[in-house]
Amino acid sequence: MLEALVKSGKALSAYEIRDYCCNQLGYDLLPMSVYRILEFLENNDLVHRLNTSSKYIACSHITCPHDHEPPQFLICKSCHRVEEVSMPDRVIKTVTQATRLAGFQLASKQLEIDCYCTECTLTKDTSA
Amino acid sequence: MLEALVKSGKALSAYEIRDYCCNQLGYDLLPMSVYRILEFLENNDLVHRLNTSSKYIACSHITCPHDHEPPQFLICKSCHRVEEVSMPDRVIKTVTQATRLAGFQLASKQLEIDCYCTECTLTKDTSA
DNA sequence: CGCAAGGTCGTTATAACGTAACATTCTGCA
DNA sequence: TGCAGAATGTTACGTTATAACGACCTTGCG
């Protein structure tokens, strides 16, 4: 399944992962298994769940030796491309502060941000 | 439906709205209608959709005369309470900048942030 | 060994969220 | 009135996710 996510190079839903495994890799998985394996992969920081789209994406630091920082995702509203980035500490700090000001405590530094990627921005501009 | 969201005082899924309308208000709605009405309410800034939980919540500024700023939401991971806040411009600015640095263009200033609310933070602390 | 306790995994069924597609009704206008 | 197009009702289905249960298998101990 990790292979499927890495090879596809994009965010897949659980059922898309299943199809990929079945069609490309020859593994026949039931939904329940997919979710169980995804849970394991998430716990081990190999895969991230995108809450806004209910999809899953291979962590872009799988092969890195260093620690896994909670990621931020830029998600293109138009082509659904996902970029995993590490925003400057400053950003996280200001969000944390603002959250605390409202009396809440930040639970996760993962952010999912609605964007347009460079390509789609250009396309939009020329078509408009 | 707006009445249902306001009276319930929390985020409801489309089907919960439907149940509320049916049981408490005596309106019998089919899912399709609920979604169509939600679309209208969203377009008119009366309701916000929470992407991370697929729920809907009445805009907390329904009765305000002033403009509707894109909201930020603090969402309690534990009790699912939702607080609609307006984060300082500074926060949005830093996020926008960081996004642009990565070559993306911010599409929406709505942020949904994983938190623990004050109560749940306390509960956690005492139980731990 | 043989058995019980507990865990993993396969399987079925179903809940929850959302939309496509088409029928019907309403509304405004020639 | 009669027609076009919009709004609304209705059915069916697609997608995401989990509950529930049983088969099997490991492991530890008498």
Side-chain angles (χ1 to χ4, degrees):
Chain A
M1 271 180 39
L2 192 51
E3 187 183 344
L5 282 170
V6 172
K7 283 200 177 159
S8 83
K10 55 180 187 174
L12 298 177
S13 76
Y15 284 75
E16 286 165 349
I17 293 172
R18 179 188 180 224
D19 291 345
Y20 193 104
C21 284
C22 181
N23 298 331
Q24 316 289 318
L25 307 177
Y27 293 103
D28 216 349
L29 293 170
L30 289 165
M32 207 48 240
S33 312
V34 174
Y35 284 103
R36 289 203 266 240
I37 296 168
L38 279 173
E39 190 186 352
F40 167 82
L41 293 173
E42 272 191 85
N43 290 338
N44 290 275
D45 292 322
L46 297 169
V47 158
H48 299 292
R49 178 190 152 87
L50 300 173
N51 294 312
T52 46
S53 55
S54 299
K55 299 204 171 173
Y56 304 83
I57 193 165
C59 173
S60 62
H61 303 115
I62 287 180
T63 57
C64 300
H66 62 69
D67 281 2
H68 289 267
E69 290 290 313
Q72 288 84 48
F73 296 101
L74 305 176
I75 303 173
C76 179
K77 231 176 165 166
S78 166
C79 70
H80 306 111
R81 199 141 68 83
V82 176
E83 189 86 10
E84 180 178 346
V85 298
S86 281
M87 293 213 164
D89 280 353
R90 215 175 74 256
V91 175
I92 308 300
K93 229 173 246 171
T94 48
V95 171
T96 309
Q97 278 170 13
T99 303
R100 200 167 293 151
L101 257 179
F104 281 59
Q105 195 180 78
L106 200 63
S108 158
K109 290 178 180 172
Q110 178 167 328
L111 284 182
E112 298 174 30
I113 300 172
D114 252 0
C115 299
Y116 291 109
C117 72
T118 319
E119 263 179 61
C120 290
T121 305
L122 293 177
T123 315
K124 257 202 323 167
D125 286 351
T126 54
S127 75
Chain B
M1 272 181 37
L2 193 50
E3 186 182 346
L5 281 171
V6 171
K7 283 200 178 159
S8 82
K10 55 180 185 173
L12 298 177
S13 75
Y15 284 74
E16 286 166 349
I17 294 171
R18 178 189 180 223
D19 292 345
Y20 193 104
C21 284
C22 181
N23 298 331
Q24 316 289 320
L25 306 177
Y27 293 102
D28 216 348
L29 292 171
L30 288 165
M32 205 51 238
S33 312
V34 174
Y35 285 104
R36 288 204 266 240
I37 296 168
L38 279 173
E39 190 187 351
F40 168 81
L41 293 173
E42 272 190 84
N43 290 339
N44 289 275
D45 292 322
L46 297 169
V47 158
H48 299 292
R49 178 191 153 87
L50 300 173
N51 294 313
T52 47
S53 55
S54 297
K55 298 201 172 175
Y56 304 83
I57 192 166
C59 173
S60 63
H61 303 115
I62 288 180
T63 56
C64 300
H66 62 69
D67 281 2
H68 289 268
E69 290 290 312
Q72 289 84 47
F73 297 101
L74 306 176
I75 303 174
C76 180
K77 232 176 164 166
S78 166
C79 71
H80 306 111
R81 200 142 67 83
V82 176
E83 188 85 11
E84 180 178 346
V85 298
S86 279
M87 294 214 163
D89 279 353
R90 216 175 73 257
V91 176
I92 307 300
K93 230 174 244 171
T94 48
V95 171
T96 309
Q97 278 168 12
T99 303
R100 198 167 295 152
L101 257 180
F104 281 59
Q105 194 180 81
L106 201 63
S108 158
K109 290 179 180 171
Q110 177 167 328
L111 286 183
E112 299 173 29
I113 300 172
D114 252 1
C115 299
Y116 292 110
C117 71
T118 318
E119 262 180 60
C120 289
T121 305
L122 294 176
T123 316
K124 259 202 319 166
D125 287 352
T126 54
S127 75

